[in-house]
Amino acid sequence: MDAANRTDFYIGLALAVSSTIFIGGSFILKKKGLLRLAKTGSTRAGQGGYAYLKEWLWWAGLILMGIGEAANFAAYAFAPATLVTPLGALSVLVSAVLSSYFLSERLNIHGKIGCLLCIFGSTVMVLHAPQEEEVASLTAMAEKLKDPGFIAFAVCIVVSSLALVVFVAPRYGQKNVLVYILICSVIGSLSVSCVKGLGIGIKELFAGTAVLKEPLFWALLICLVICISIQISYLNKALDIFNTSIVTPIYYVFFTVSVMACSAILFKEWLRMSTDGAAGTVSGFLTIIIGIFLLHAFKDINFNLDSLPSYLHRGPQGNTWSQPYMPLPNDATITVNERNLTKERSAKGLFPESLDKRSNGTVLL
């Protein structure tokens, strides 16, 4: 890597990290505004209302998210998508920590371990990420977009998104957190492709190329605006209905998978990967999945490090294991009378009426 590429790499890395901080904070502000509206009895976003547009905290969160997205936009212009996208795991940590302080959403030890696993997995993915094919102009980008594989991928994304919006979201959107997040994620894969193309165009513009006359530049811009609008709308609905510490990491996983798939199809990154690189990327992603599982599956368990010593001395029902260990008696030590008593008790349990005296004074044997 030469000096120019190294400089671009660090600029993109710094922009990606800063964008995660802004985006993680924006989740908290938007959720705070939605909670204030819920206390006043206003219609929530998940029920088709738009009362959140009157809440200034929601607008503050939207502005902060806009700043984060702008930094993220710039990061894609300097660094490959395989580096920028996995770093979004830092927003999981930011939102989870801030939600525990400002939204009173408890993050137990499982959630904290899950956040750390997300960061570790993202780091592994970055270290083993495939290098994308160099695309230095909008003309080269146009050739990539004409690839039959990418066209088929884009058609599948549009059709699946329409099916989720029209048929699935009205019935299951408020019951299953994956519905709204899937819509945001699959649309987000196309938005990243648009951002990458626009970033290349803006770099050409500063270099003196007349890219504003290129129809592709404006087509990418319109597509980006549409995709971001859909993402913000459905992400806002997910945050309004479900817990922030759950929405953020799940959105990260699905968004990362979608972007990595789109980038692999568009730039053919995986074709030049070694076996170690592929294994490292898959391992990093599986680590993130485990972290997401810890965040989601154990979110309602009230457990922390302070309660660990007490928990180890309690049984499954919360009762203290205070009774000492009693070994079972050996058969050789059981006397004949004890055996007879055992048989008698067994017979009484099986035939409870056999030892009862009737009214005539007889005993039924």
Side-chain angles (χ1 to χ4, degrees):
M1 183 183 295
D2 55 22
N5 291 334
R6 187 179 298 274
T7 302
D8 289 347
F9 175 83
Y10 286 119
I11 291 175
L13 179 63
L15 290 171
V17 173
S18 62
S19 70
T20 59
I21 297 175
F22 288 122
I23 292 174
S26 69
F27 283 118
I28 306 304
L29 290 178
K30 293 172 68 176
K31 183 71 175 184
K32 193 76 173 179
L34 293 171
L35 289 175
R36 288 177 56 175
L37 284 176
K39 292 180 179 179
T40 61
S42 301
T43 304
R44 305 183 70 180
Q47 299 172 348
Y50 296 93
Y52 57 88
L53 297 177
K54 301 178 182 179
E55 176 57 50
W56 71 270
L57 277 177
W58 186 89
W59 283 105
L62 185 62
I63 294 173
L64 199 63
M65 176 174 283
I67 297 174
E69 293 294 344
N72 195 56
F73 177 94
Y76 281 108
F78 290 96
T82 51
L83 170 68
V84 176
T85 305
L87 288 178
L90 294 178
S91 64
V92 177
L93 177 62
V94 172
S95 62
V97 173
L98 293 180
S99 63
S100 63
Y101 283 99
F102 297 102
L103 300 179
S104 299
E105 296 179 359
R106 293 186 58 84
L107 188 66
N108 57 19
I109 188 64
H110 302 88
K112 295 175 183 178
I113 294 175
C115 288
L116 291 177
L117 288 177
C118 289
I119 296 174
F120 293 155
S122 298
T123 303
V124 172
M125 290 186 69
V126 170
L127 294 176
H128 295 86
Q131 296 297 321
E132 67 180 3
E133 185 177 346
E134 184 65 26
V135 179
S137 64
L138 279 181
T139 304
M141 186 68 180
E143 295 298 324
K144 294 291 182 183
L145 295 175
K146 294 178 183 178
D147 184 78
F150 178 76
I151 293 176
F153 174 80
V155 171
C156 292
I157 290 297
V158 172
V159 172
S160 61
S161 299
L162 289 176
L164 288 172
V165 171
V166 176
F167 300 106
V168 181
R171 296 183 60 184
Y172 305 103
Q174 298 188 42
K175 301 177 182 178
N176 195 324
V177 67
L178 296 179
V179 176
Y180 292 147
I181 292 179
L182 279 175
I183 297 174
C184 298
S185 301
V186 296
I187 294 296
S189 64
L190 296 180
S191 67
V192 169
S193 302
C194 297
V195 166
K196 189 67 178 178
L198 288 174
I200 295 171
I202 292 174
K203 292 177 70 175
E204 281 191 291
L205 180 63
F206 286 123
T209 306
V211 297
L212 296 180
K213 298 180 181 180
E214 295 286 341
L216 179 61
F217 182 84
W218 297 105
L220 291 174
L221 181 60
I222 294 174
C223 182
L224 178 63
V225 171
I226 294 174
C227 291
I228 290 180
S229 300
I230 296 174
Q231 283 183 268
I232 292 177
S233 175
Y234 283 93
L235 185 58
N236 179 74
K237 292 181 179 181
L239 288 170
D240 188 17
I241 299 172
F242 303 101
N243 193 295
T244 305
S245 61
I246 299 302
V247 171
T248 306
I250 296 178
Y251 173 66
Y252 163 76
V253 169
F254 284 95
F255 178 72
T256 301
V257 172
S258 301
V259 171
M260 296 291 284
C262 181
S263 183
I265 294 172
L266 185 60
F267 298 107
K268 306 294 189 298
E269 299 167 335
W270 297 85
L271 296 179
R272 297 184 299 276
M273 286 190 69
S274 63
T275 304
D276 295 340
T281 302
V282 173
S283 299
F285 177 70
L286 291 178
T287 303
I288 296 174
I289 293 296
I290 295 173
I292 296 303
F293 174 77
L294 289 177
L295 277 167
H296 182 67
F298 303 102
K299 63 184 180 68
D300 295 326
I301 296 179
N302 187 14
F303 177 78
N304 51 46
L305 289 178
D306 296 333
S307 61
L308 181 59
S310 176
Y311 180 82
L312 293 177
H313 289 82
R314 294 181 180 273
Q317 306 299 328
N319 297 325
T320 304
W321 295 347
S322 57
Q323 296 181 354
Y325 172 72
M326 297 294 293
L328 292 175
N330 195 349
D331 290 343
T333 62
I334 301 178
T335 62
V336 177
N337 293 333
E338 290 175 339
R339 290 182 180 178
N340 294 334
L341 181 60
T342 303
K343 292 180 180 180
E344 181 180 351
R345 289 177 178 176
S346 300
K348 186 176 181 180
L350 293 174
F351 306 102
E353 296 182 355
S354 61
L355 298 180
D356 291 343
K357 292 184 179 181
R358 300 300 183 184
S359 58
N360 56 4
T362 60
V363 179
L364 298 178
L365 298 178

